[in-house]
């Protein structure tokens, strides 16, 4: 599901206006959605968090999990806003104590996520948060990790969704709903028309 499935909230346009796309990053031909420019605008950042909190408040979610690193930026304030605990899904060797891990393939190589054992109670309802869904590899791995740790992942939430990379479809095949604030076939559709796209030099 996207914020576009209902009449578009006027806050969405303000959020879009802060986004920059970096061309030829992280490799030639790539288009990188730079969330840092959103974070530099306190109103747009707050509006984004408020939209997520409005979507999930009162839905009995007791765990919000964020994927390192940008999932932490959005996930932690969403957790506070809905009265849930926040769980970090981290890169290897960052967490103390007993951990559970999952390895997965990405568009640009392989990666791994870990979380601490015992931070989630069996059957807790969890919301999984990241900044963007592209191929869906990271979110699918995160779902696997959370559910092996006892959570029931009820939905995934992202600021951006890029449909042409098929991540939406992968989540659908897992039976996991997806909510995004901005959704399109390509990165360029997610910002206002005519806005300059920066190039990496």
């Amino acid at each position: 599901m996207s914020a576009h499935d209902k009449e578009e909230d006027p806050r969405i346009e303000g959020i879009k206006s802060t986004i920059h796309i970096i061309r030829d990053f992280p490799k030639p031909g790539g288009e990188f959605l730079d969330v840092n420019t959103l974070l530099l605008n306190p109103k747009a950042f707050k509006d984004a968090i408020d939209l997520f909190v409005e979507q999930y408040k009162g839905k009995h979610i007791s765990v919000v999990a964020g994927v390192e690193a940008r999932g932490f930026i959005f996930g932690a304030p969403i957790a506070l806003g809905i009265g849930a605990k926040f769980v970090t899904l981290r890169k290897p060797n960052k967490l103390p104590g007993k951990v559970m891990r999952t390895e997965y393939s990405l568009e640009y190589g392989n990666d791994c996520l870990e979380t601490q054992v015992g931070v989630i109670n069996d059957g807790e309802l969890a919301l999984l948060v990241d900044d963007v869904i592209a191929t869906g590899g990271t979110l699918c791995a995160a779902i696997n990790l959370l559910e092996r740790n006892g959570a029931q992942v009820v939905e995934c939430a992202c600021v951006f969704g890029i449909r042409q990379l098929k991540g939406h479809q992968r989540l659908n095949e897992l039976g996991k709903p997806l909510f995004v604030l901005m959704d399109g076939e390509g990165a360029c559709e997610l910002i206002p028309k005519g806005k300059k796209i920066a190039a990496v030099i």
Side-chain angles (χ1 to χ4, degrees):
M1 179 178 164
S2 163
H4 297 289
D5 291 339
K6 48 192 175 182
E7 187 175 345
E8 187 169 278
D9 190 294
R11 291 172 289 184
I12 296 291
E13 200 60 32
I15 296 167
K16 282 183 179 180
S17 72
T18 69
I19 303 301
H20 289 179
I21 295 179
I22 309 300
R23 195 166 48 210
D24 296 326
F25 184 83
K27 66 177 185 178
E31 289 180 345
F32 182 80
L33 285 157
D34 186 8
V35 75
N36 292 302
T37 51
L38 165 60
L39 304 177
L40 292 172
N41 186 309
K43 182 181 186 311
F45 185 23
K46 183 178 185 303
D47 284 346
I49 298 302
D50 286 348
L51 285 163
F52 285 120
V53 170
E54 289 163 18
Q55 176 72 10
Y56 294 108
K57 200 167 183 69
K59 294 194 174 176
H60 309 292
I61 291 166
S62 58
V63 178
V64 175
V67 179
E68 187 171 351
R70 290 183 295 273
F72 297 175
I73 295 168
F74 295 97
I78 292 169
L80 287 174
I82 67 173
K85 62 186 175 185
F86 181 66
V87 170
T88 59
L89 305 182
R90 301 214 61 184
K91 299 296 173 67
N93 305 312
K94 300 289 187 181
L95 293 170
K98 188 175 180 181
V99 299
M100 190 176 291
R101 70 160 39 193
T102 188
E103 296 180 4
Y104 60 103
S105 297
L106 279 173
E107 196 177 358
Y108 304 113
N110 298 317
D111 215 332
C112 177
L113 287 174
E114 294 183 342
T115 194
Q116 290 171 304
V117 173
V119 296
I120 298 169
N121 299 318
D122 284 348
E124 281 196 281
L125 302 184
L127 172 68
L128 177 58
V129 177
D130 205 355
D131 64 327
V132 61
I133 178 166
T135 65
T138 301
L139 288 179
C140 288
I143 290 167
N144 173 273
L145 183 59
L146 288 169
E147 294 196 336
R148 284 168 46 220
N149 210 13
Q152 179 185 340
V153 178
V154 295
E155 192 154 312
C156 299
C158 298
V159 181
F160 313 111
I162 302 176
R163 288 187 175 272
Q164 69 182 12
L165 297 178
K166 309 297 185 186
H168 298 62
Q169 183 178 322
R170 289 183 69 178
L171 287 188
N172 187 55
E173 289 167 358
L174 290 178
K176 300 300 179 185
L178 171 68
F179 177 77
V180 296
L181 297 186
M182 291 170 277
D183 202 14
E185 285 301 320
C188 289
E189 290 185 15
L190 302 178
I191 63 170
K193 286 183 170 48
K195 187 168 181 181
K196 184 178 179 182
I197 299 177
V200 175
I201 299 174

